[in-house]
């Protein structure tokens, strides 16, 4: 694949760099910036530059530039810098990139429908092909990141069977040195296979304490956040887990972890965090007031009667989660409902 590019940068009120991120996938580019404006408030701006698609009936320009600004009162200089620094250890650039790529997928789907509506069928076909490539790559990368796909567990099991057969042949041919090496290999494969099988099972049977769109509070750092993604175990890199002190958690990495949008009034620079389930609690009714974050515009429809956010259908499908209806909300045709 040649190129989605996701890039980000930011500037603090003091004029120093506070964020940067970049990921390449399939010929598209996302940019986001946090910049200071007057009196210490923050403006968040992002844009997405898409492909120019050509057809036999002429060119259809699918370049889209979306500019939006959110102005947040307050100033990070007024908050506890030590608390913010500790909270930012859980900041996740990979989670942020995942959300931006999800937005891109939504946008390409919209562009396909638009091309069909204006009868630009060649452009729609090209966009569909591009979308299929990206969705395949995203799925592959997600499985590789998690390291717990059923296929990987099956591959380990097959390697184990081959090693056992080789061991039997080595014993029959009285090649005891090789047999000793194969026993060590089998012992390692058995451990790996058991771990992978258990992890794959965790993905199938996990029960999440929180749901998509739910407003929560961080038990340690105290900020308000909204759930926008979930994994049954920690799927971050080893270096991230070391930085975030995951080994110090009572349940370690083997518990659900959540992608959360952090209220920009709490910390305009944190944006997206990856948080263990044990560190989150349901927000109290008094804490469900105004919540500001630029990503809520495309991840959620709005708020329900309980003042939690309602995830878009595609986000629920991404995480295989049913639609939740708060008491008093009316059902619609958007899918299964749970109360």
């Amino acid at each position: 694949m040649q190129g989605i590019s996701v890039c980000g940068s930011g500037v603090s009120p003091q004029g120093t760099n506070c964020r940067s991120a970049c990921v390449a996938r399939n010929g598209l580019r996302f940019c986001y910036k946090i910049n200071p404006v007057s009196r210490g408030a923050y403006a968040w701006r992002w844009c997405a530059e898409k492909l120019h698609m050509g057809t036999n009936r002429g060119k259809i320009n699918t370049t889209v530039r979306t500019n939006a600004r959110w102005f947040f009162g307050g100033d990070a200089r007024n908050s506890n810098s030590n608390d913010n620094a500790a909270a930012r250890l859980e900041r996740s650039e990979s989670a942020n990139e995942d959300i931006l790529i999800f937005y891109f997928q939504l946008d390409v789907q919209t562009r396909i429908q638009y091309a069909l509506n204006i009868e630009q069928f060649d452009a729609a076909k090209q966009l569909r092909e591009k979308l299929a490539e990206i969705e395949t790559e995203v799925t592959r990368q997600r499985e590789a990141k998690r390291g717990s796909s059923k296929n990987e567990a099956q591959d380990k099991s097959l390697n184990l069977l081959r090693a056992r057969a080789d061991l039997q042949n080595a014993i029959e041919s009285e090649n005891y040195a090789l047999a000793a090496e194969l026993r060590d290999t089998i012992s390692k494969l058995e451990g790996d296979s058991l771990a992978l099988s258990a992890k794959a099972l965790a993905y199938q049977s996990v029960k999440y304490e929180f749901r998509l769109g739910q407003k929560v509070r961080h038990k340690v750092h105290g900020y308000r956040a909204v759930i926008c993604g979930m994994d049954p175990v920690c799927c971050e890199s080893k270096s991230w887990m070391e930085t975030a002190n995951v080994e110090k958690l009572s349940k370690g990495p083997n518990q659900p972890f959540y992608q959360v949008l952090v209220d920009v009034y709490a910390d305009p620079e944190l944006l997206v965090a990856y948080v263990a389930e044990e560190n989150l609690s349901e927000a109290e009714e008094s804490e469900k007031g105004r919540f500001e974050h630029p990503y809520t515009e495309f991840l959620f429809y709005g708020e329900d009667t309980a003042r939690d956010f309602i995830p878009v259908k595609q986000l629920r499908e991404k995480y295989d989660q049913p639609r939740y209806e708060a008491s008093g909300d009316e059902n619609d045709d958007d899918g299964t409902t749970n109360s």
Side-chain angles (χ1 to χ4, degrees), residues 238 240-253:
K238 183 178 179 180
W240 184 93
M241 285 191 273
E242 290 174 352
T243 300
N245 299 314
V246 171
E247 75 284 352
K248 294 182 180 179
L249 297 170
S250 62
K251 298 180 182 178

Side-chain angles (χ1 to χ4, degrees), residues 301 310 323 325 330-337:
Y301 291 120
I310 303 171
R323 181 180 174 89
E325 288 288 346
E330 296 181 358
N331 293 350
D332 59 22
D333 296 329
D334 192 23
T336 305
T337 64

Side-chain angles (χ1 to χ4, degrees), residues 252-282:
N254 296 316
Q255 61 176 307
F257 272 68
Y258 297 86
Q259 293 180 6
V260 301
L261 308 180
V262 180
D263 183 5
V264 295
Y265 284 97
D267 188 344
E269 299 176 6
L270 182 49
L271 204 63
V272 179
Y274 194 55
V275 186
E277 187 171 84
E278 69 178 70
N279 279 341
L280 294 174
S281 63
E282 183 179 357

Side-chain angles (χ1 to χ4, degrees), residues 210-217 224-227 281-285 287-289 291 296 300-311 324-327 329:
F210 305 102
R211 64 183 182 277
L212 293 172
Q214 187 172 5
K215 292 179 181 178
V216 294
R217 176 172 289 280
R224 295 188 308 142
V226 172
I227 305 293
S281 63
E282 183 179 357
E284 300 291 338
E285 184 62 31
E287 298 172 331
K288 290 190 175 183
F291 186 93
T296 59
F300 307 110
Y301 291 120
E303 293 186 350
D304 58 24
T305 56
R307 305 184 75 183
D308 289 314
F309 284 100
I310 303 171
Y324 175 87
E325 288 288 346
S327 177
D329 284 341

Side-chain angles (χ1 to χ4, degrees), residues 7 15 70 73 75 93 106 115 133 153 166 170 173 198 248 291 296 336:
C7 305
W70 288 262
D75 192 325
E93 296 298 346
L106 292 180
E133 289 178 16
D166 291 341
S173 62
K248 294 182 180 179
F291 186 93
T296 59
T336 305

Side-chain angles (χ1 to χ4, degrees), residues 180-196:
E181 292 178 6
L182 286 169
R183 285 192 184 97
D184 292 339
T185 300
I186 289 171
S187 178
K188 185 177 185 304
L189 284 172
E190 286 176 338
D192 292 345
S193 180
L194 181 62
L196 283 169

